[in-house]
Amino acid sequence: MKAHKFVDSVGVHVRAGKGGDGSCSFRREACVEKGGPDGGDGGRGGHVIFVGDHDEDSLQRIYYSPLLFAEHGVPGRGQKMYGRNGKDLVIKVPCGTAVFDRDTGAVVADITDHRQEAIIARGGKGGLGNVHWKTSTHQAPTEFTPGDLGEEFHLNLELKLLADVGLVGFPNAGKSSLLSRISDAHPKVAAYPFTTINPIVGTVCYPDFSQIRVADVPGLIKGAHEGVGLGHEFLRHLERSRLLLCVIDMAGVDGREPWDDYKALRNELALHSAELARRPMLVVANKMDLPEAVEKLKSFRRRIRLPILRISTVDDRGIAEVKTRLWEELRPLPRGTRAAGRPATELETPAPVVDASDEIVSAEKVRLAGFLDMAVRKRKG
Ligand SMILES: Nc1nc2c(ncn2[C@@H]2O[C@H](COP(=O)(O)OP(=O)(O)OP(=O)(O)O)[C@@H](O)[C@H]2O)c(=O)[nH]1
Ligand SMILES: [Mg+2]
């Protein structure tokens, strides 16, 4: 049994089965002269089918066996016997898997629902046996057709988690702490950056039994678009979220200013995708139990027009309000894999300004490098 590994992107080679050949055969039987043609048809080649399964949470299974070849159809035989169809190769994929053609980049399928099926490669048709060529003037035909080849593709599979809400924030902002307070998920919480290296989804339950799914992804830092930190790779898991929850460490525990964090986060989102940057967003000011947070919040709220939810995951203040607000904000937003964006309503200039030289304070960078190295090695398994 291989250790669990979170795989959210994998290349595969799919090949459907070839159709079975038609048969060329003549009836041979005691006391039956010139029995005539009796070659049956070949069976269809097996399809390669992907089916969504909510028990799958990663593409790990496919990662270890990326050659997905379906069975060939069986050739026809004498006595007008049809060949059996090749068995379809049914592959379970996690809900949220998008399938792309590796050469053209076109979307082949987007599997979002449990039990949703998509025929990715069609099996070849079976060939015809010589019995089909029999006519009154052509009574001993030897013609038959071979089976068609099955479809064959090189594809990329990308898992984009299905969650209603995506948490965005710098490392150590308290994203995982918040998720553990509002849902039953138990993400690891620790006082070092990049504690979360793989996305985690938690389900928030309400008294009327309605639920929403919240995704916690690794921390985003300035320069992530250039590969700093864990880069932008995991941002694909936010692409299907209808609402983003921006978690800010209002106390600036790591020596950064909350407003700078907020600007950097918006900038990185815009650099990843303009659509993601327009996604509706709520801002959460975390660590309000610390006195510095109260001071910093004063200047922060002067610069932002969005309502700010003040919380602390230590003494649970504002946590109930976050749950209620999430529900209220999500209700009017259309369901679907990609919600239409609502323009940002903040005061700051929307256009992203990137200044590569203006990087994180170097002391912090050095400290981050150590954690990062560890996180990347852990992620690569
Ligand atoms: N004082 C205080 N500390 C907090 C609060 N919320 C989180 N922390 C602390 O902040 C540190 C980081 O919390 P995490 O929840 O792991 O932060 P994260 O955003 O998930 O960080 P990464 O997974 O590294 O991206 C931990 O030591 C928490 O105990 C809070 O409201 N108040
Ligand atoms: Mg975390």
Side-chain angles (χ1 to χ4, degrees):
M1 178 78 190
K2 294 197 169 84
H4 184 75
K5 181 176 164 73
F6 181 82
V7 179
D8 55 3
S9 161
V10 69
V12 293
H13 179 184
V14 296
R15 187 164 66 204
K18 173 185 174 299
D21 296 338
S23 158
C24 176
S25 160
F26 292 91
R27 186 175 171 199
R28 295 267 181 269
E29 212 175 301
C31 309
V32 180
E33 258 182 85
K34 298 183 181 172
D38 69 352
D41 300 343
R44 168 181 68 70
H47 300 317
V48 179
I49 300 174
F50 286 175
V51 55
D53 190 315
H54 54 205
D55 290 332
E56 296 286 320
D57 60 354
S58 134
L59 298 168
Q60 181 191 26
R61 218 187 285 269
I62 302 173
Y63 174 82
Y64 285 116
S65 45
L67 302 181
L68 308 176
F69 299 163
E71 195 187 46
H72 296 314
V74 173
R77 285 162 64 188
Q79 301 184 351
K80 296 184 187 163
M81 283 193 281
Y82 287 91
R84 151 177 91 66
N85 289 346
K87 282 196 191 111
D88 293 338
L89 180 65
V90 180
I91 305 288
K92 288 180 187 172
V93 295
C95 298
T97 302
V99 184
F100 300 94
D101 189 296
R102 196 182 300 171
D103 303 322
T104 62
V107 181
V108 176
D110 192 10
I111 296 160
T112 52
D113 298 324
H114 182 57
R115 298 206 180 128
Q116 180 188 339
E117 285 190 2
I119 300 181
I120 300 297
R122 291 188 171 273
K125 259 176 37 185
L128 298 176
N130 65 340
V131 73
H132 293 279
W133 275 266
K134 177 179 154 188
T135 63
S136 55
T137 54
H138 187 41
Q139 295 189 358
T142 52
E143 296 91 337
F144 67 96
T145 56
D148 293 344
L149 287 179
E151 290 180 331
E152 185 169 2
F153 305 107
H154 291 275
L155 304 172
N156 285 335
L157 271 56
E158 280 189 10
L159 172 60
K160 299 180 180 192
L161 289 182
L162 292 172
D164 303 293
V165 180
L167 296 178
V168 196
F170 266 66
N172 270 347
K175 301 178 294 300
S176 304
S177 308
L178 175 60
L179 185 69
S180 66
R181 290 287 177 276
I182 59 176
S183 75
D184 282 343
H186 301 290
K188 188 173 171 190
V189 171
Y192 59 86
F194 300 106
T195 311
T196 305
I197 52 170
N198 291 320
I200 297 162
V201 177
T203 305
V204 184
C205 301
Y206 292 87
D208 64 351
F209 302 109
S210 49
Q211 298 181 335
I212 59 172
R213 287 160 60 87
V214 179
D216 175 21
V217 300
L220 193 60
I221 58 177
K222 198 168 188 172
H225 63 284
E226 291 171 328
V228 182
L230 293 180
H232 270 185
E233 210 188 305
F234 57 85
L235 283 184
R236 77 163 75 101
H237 297 295
L238 300 180
E239 282 173 15
R240 297 185 196 267
S241 303
R242 291 186 282 157
L243 177 73
L244 298 179
L245 199 57
C246 181
V247 183
I248 304 284
D249 169 5
M250 201 46 73
V253 169
D254 287 340
R256 293 182 313 267
E257 282 303 310
W259 179 250
D260 293 342
D261 280 7
Y262 177 72
K263 268 197 323 192
L265 290 171
R266 299 252 17 164
N267 195 21
E268 290 298 333
L269 287 177
L271 288 168
H272 175 72
S273 107
E275 205 208 343
L276 197 60
R278 285 198 304 271
R279 205 59 57 88
M281 183 186 267
L282 276 181
V283 178
V284 169
N286 191 25
K287 308 198 183 178
M288 290 307 296
D289 54 296
L290 301 174
E292 312 88 85
V294 181
E295 282 306 307
K296 288 183 193 278
L297 179 66
K298 282 183 193 153
S299 63
F300 185 84
R301 39 188 324 177
R302 276 199 293 273
R303 308 169 89 161
I304 191 166
R305 214 193 299 152
L306 278 180
I308 302 168
L309 303 171
R310 284 167 291 176
I311 66 159
S312 163
T313 62
V314 171
D315 60 16
D316 271 2
R317 79 178 73 168
I319 298 295
E321 199 197 339
V322 169
K323 283 179 74 169
T324 317
R325 279 302 291 272
L326 286 182
W327 181 240
E328 285 170 2
E329 290 284 325
L330 280 174
R331 214 170 18 189
L333 297 177
R335 285 198 173 271
T337 52
R338 281 172 177 244
R342 188 175 69 181
T345 47
E346 294 83 349
L347 291 175
E348 85 275 9
T349 40
V353 187
V354 193
D355 184 359
S357 61
D358 179 19
E359 287 190 21
I360 323 156
V361 204
S362 49
E364 197 196 349
K365 241 179 108 181
V366 173
R367 199 166 62 84
L368 277 179
F371 288 122
L372 254 174
D373 195 36
M374 213 167 63
V376 170
R377 262 188 281 134
K378 251 202 277 176
R379 191 173 160 81
K380 284 184 179 160

